[in-house]
Structure formats: structure tokens, C-alpha cells
Amino acid sequence: MMQKATQEEMESCPPQPWSDLPISEWQDWRWQMRNRIMDMDSLSRVLTPTQSERDAYIESTDYFRMSITPHYAALMDPTDENCPIRRQIIPSPGELENYAGMLEDPLDEENHSPVAGLVHRYPDRALIYTNHTCPVYCRHCTRKRKVGDPKSSPGRSALRDAIKYIAEHKEIHDVLLSGGEPLSLSDRNLDALLGDLNSIEHLDIIRIGTRNPVTLPQRITPELCAVLGRYRSIYINTHFNHPKECTEAAAHALNQLADAGCVLGNQMVLLKGINDNVETVYQLNRWLLRNRCRPYYMLHCDLTPGVSHFRTSTEAGLEILRGLRGRLSGLAIPQYVIDLPGGGGKIPLVPDYLVGQDEHGSYYENYQGVVHHLPHPKEDPPSSAKTTRLQ
Ligand SMILES: *Cc1c(COP(=O)(O)O)cnc(C)c1O
């Protein structure tokens, strides 16, 4: 009982350096938005930036802003330059480096955009870029080219054109609201957008891609959940990358969304030195599953500018999948995908468990490293092949 009281006490006051603030303000997403850390002076109140972080900030800010909610900033370890939260949000020298294969628009979205702000790559799915305003700018952002540009936010008429396009294309059954950050829309504007989409007969589902459960969980209010709860088939994909992001507030946000009837998934991005190991992904995905959010994708890092320091080999991703299989509920094992440069779309990478094949069948190595035999079906191999008993 003692322990429980202490925990409640801790939750009743915001973390350092905001501990004098009333908890009600801390829990108000508007306060969080008003008090975002957007320059080195305000960052210095939370930690002492290194000289290279200061330099990288100055060099990068015109192209890609810095913005951090107090909620997310409080998760940083001020004494560790390599803190997995810190590396996702504070500019670092790696961001200024060019590298072979780097692309301004790595997924060639602009050439798959029949109307402004809409990407139609797969026949049955379309993506709407709702706005460029995120509470936190992830340094590994794929849409830096747009998010960094204040003119990129589609206005009312662009959104109207996007809705019209979807209404006219009966082959589209799945719409993704993406950004930027769709939940940066007001409840009213989001409600109007969802209402318009919901009235399109041929749409089966609406997806919302949002990082707010991670970076601004306070945004998941009862009012927002009431809006989301009005529509059927809302899928929400969020973006947790590390167990340090798995806070009480984040768990509460996920459970509120699930209670509102949304189906939850997570799209982790594989980032070097942040989550490129089995243990980190194991802990993260266990937590997600417990909070009713299924790990959907583990995304290989896109060829966005300034991410050379985040890129891993594909072997690192496959190693994680091998390490999870057998140890963790299959429900918590994501698909590992590469979104191919040039607009090729997503392809899954799967570890190869097949270790051999002969006239008797195939041989597979399981998660314990034990090889098991799977006999061929009757017609395969051709009937001329001799069938003998396996030792
Ligand atoms: C990722 C993506 C989708 C959705 O792909 P799923 O594999 O169905 O999750 C749709 N459109 C675009 C442009 C995308 O980049």
C-alpha cells in the first residue's frame, strides 16, 4: 500500500523542471502545445545541449524545425547524449550529412499525387496529407520536404479536392489520413473530414496515422474520442519506437482510443542505436500488445535527407524478427517492410527458415535452432522420385 501511495504522489506532480506547475495544466494538451521547446534557450532549461547539437540546430533549422512537447522532453535522460528519446528529437551532426542514394522525396509521392495533398500509389488505397503541424518533429521524418515548409499544408479547397477524388474513384476502399499530424486538426475539422469520408459508400475503412499517443498523449481527450466513436471502421496507426515512450499517459491514451472503438496498430521505424536490437523491440511490443495496440509494421528507414546516422542493415531488422519469433506472442510480431525508393511501394522482408530440400521434403530450422522435416505433398516431387523413409 505504501508503494501505491508513493506512485500516485509522483503522478500528481509534473516532472522536472515543470514540477511547480499544477497537474491539470500539464495534462492539458493546449498547455503542452503552448510550451513546446523550439529553440536552444528553452531546451537548455531541460538539459545542457552539447556543442555539436547546438551547431546542428543552427545548420538544420531553416530546412527542418525543432519542436518538442514538454511531455516528450521529460522522457529524455539529460545526462546521456545517446538517449533514444533525445536522438529522435534534437538535431545532431548526422543530419547535415549527404549520403549515396539520399532522396528529397524518397517515396516519389509528388509523382503519385493526382491532386494536391493526396497520394494514390496502390489501386485500393489513398493517402491524404492533412497538415504540416506536428507537436514534435522527429529527426527521422520521411516528409521533411513538406513538414518543414509552412506552405505545404493543404487548405480547405485542397482537402475538398482530395475528398472529391476519392468519391470519384470507386476502386479506393481505404483512406489514410497522414501528415504532418492529422490530430493537429481541431475536433470540429476532424469530425467534418471524417463525416465527409464516412459518407463515401465505397470506402471500407479510414486510417489515421498519428504520433500523438507518444508525443502528446494529452490530446486524446474524451471529446476527441467521442468524435472518433461516431464512425465505424476507424483504424489508428501510431508510432512508438522505444520502451522509454511507454508512459502511463501513453497507455491511457491507447486505452481511450480502443474504448472508443478504434482498432490500434503501431508503425515502428527501425533506427540505429535506438531500437535496432531484439530486447528493445521485445519490451516495446509486449507493452503495446498489453495496451491493445498491435505491432503492425517495423519500417526500414527511408532514404530521407539527413538520416544516414539512423540507417541500419536489413540484416539487423531480420535478426530482430528471428529473435522475437517463439519468444513473443505472434500478435506482437510486426511485418518488417521497406518502402522502396522511387515509389515502388512496400515490400516485406522475412527471415528464411528453410535450410534444405531433397526428395523427401523440406527442412526448416525453428526458433530453437532445431531442424524439422516437412514431407512433400503427394504430387511434389514428380512421381518418378523415389520415396524413402527419413532416418
Ligand atoms: C504505406 C502507404 C499505404 C498503406 O500501405 P499498407 O501496406 O496498406 O499499410 C498507402 N498509400 C501510401 C502512399 C503509402 O505510403
Side-chain angles (χ1 to χ4, degrees), residues 369-386:
V370 179
V371 176
H372 290 259
H373 170 232
L374 180 76
H376 286 303
K378 240 201 288 196
E379 306 76 4
D380 181 27
S383 51
S384 60
K386 211 173 97 205

Side-chain angles (χ1 to χ4, degrees), residues 10-248:
M10 274 168 55
E11 281 166 15
S12 68
C13 117
Q16 288 288 353
W18 296 278
S19 49
D20 291 339
L21 189 80
I23 188 76
S24 56
E25 292 239 32
W26 177 262
Q27 289 170 342
D28 180 352
W29 66 269
R30 291 177 189 85
W31 181 90
Q32 292 278 338
M33 286 299 277
R34 276 198 307 273
N35 289 279
R36 277 170 298 168
I37 292 166
M38 303 186 81
D39 55 42
M40 281 291 134
D41 281 347
S42 38
L43 181 63
S44 301
R45 275 180 239 132
V46 188
L47 51 74
T48 309
T50 63
Q51 192 56 47
S52 56
E53 285 171 336
R54 287 178 182 280
D55 294 345
Y57 167 78
I58 292 166
E59 296 273 328
S60 65
T61 193
D62 281 347
Y63 177 64
F64 189 59
R65 289 169 283 176
M66 180 178 80
S67 173
I68 314 166
T69 55
H71 167 84
Y72 200 63
L75 307 180
M76 284 188 290
D77 178 349
T79 64
D80 179 10
E81 275 181 62
N82 296 315
C83 165
I85 305 294
R86 183 166 175 163
R87 292 196 55 226
Q88 288 184 66
I89 49 181
I90 300 182
S92 68
E95 223 169 286
L96 312 171
E97 281 170 26
N98 293 331
Y99 60 96
M102 180 178 108
L103 294 162
E104 182 80 4
D105 177 10
L107 310 178
D108 200 28
E109 295 189 320
E110 303 304 334
N111 287 323
H112 292 82
S113 182
V115 301
L118 182 139
V119 185
H120 192 185
R121 179 181 337 280
Y122 305 105
D124 65 318
R125 278 154 281 173
L127 182 150
I128 299 179
Y129 177 82
T130 57
N131 60 66
H132 69 272
T133 316
C134 301
V136 166
Y137 290 114
C138 313
R139 304 323 293 180
H140 54 279
C141 179
T142 282
R143 296 212 181 93
K144 280 179 190 171
R145 71 183 191 285
K146 288 172 84 79
V147 168
D149 172 11
K151 295 187 296 294
S152 74
S153 224
R156 227 173 254 271
S157 77
L159 277 181
R160 245 199 322 270
D161 290 349
I163 293 165
K164 185 161 168 278
Y165 179 90
I166 293 163
E168 285 167 356
H169 286 77
K170 293 205 161 50
E171 72 277 19
I172 298 175
H173 304 308
D174 175 357
V175 166
L176 288 78
L177 303 183
S178 188
E181 174 52 70
L183 297 188
S184 291
L185 296 175
S186 66
D187 289 355
R188 224 174 105 203
N189 287 344
L190 184 67
D191 197 6
L193 178 56
L194 292 175
D196 286 344
L197 293 171
N198 195 58
S199 65
I200 299 174
E201 263 313 297
H202 54 266
L203 276 187
D204 296 337
I205 65 167
I206 302 169
R207 290 199 237 182
I208 300 175
T210 171
R211 208 178 182 198
N212 275 4
V214 185
T215 55
L216 185 65
Q218 298 80 7
R219 174 71 183 90
I220 314 303
T221 58
E223 294 75 23
L224 173 68
C225 290
V227 168
L228 297 170
R230 271 203 270 289
Y231 305 100
R232 50 174 191 92
S233 310
I234 304 266
Y235 285 65
I236 294 189
N237 279 329
T238 186
H239 175 183
F240 284 85
N241 280 337
H242 193 276
K244 283 189 86 161
E245 297 165 343
C246 302
T247 60
E248 287 286 326

Side-chain angles (χ1 to χ4, degrees), residues 87 269-276 308-313:
R87 292 196 55 226
V269 179
L270 183 61
L271 299 169
K272 190 174 185 170
I274 293 179
N275 55 18
D276 58 339
S308 59
H309 57 304
F310 286 135
R311 295 186 65 214
T312 66
S313 64

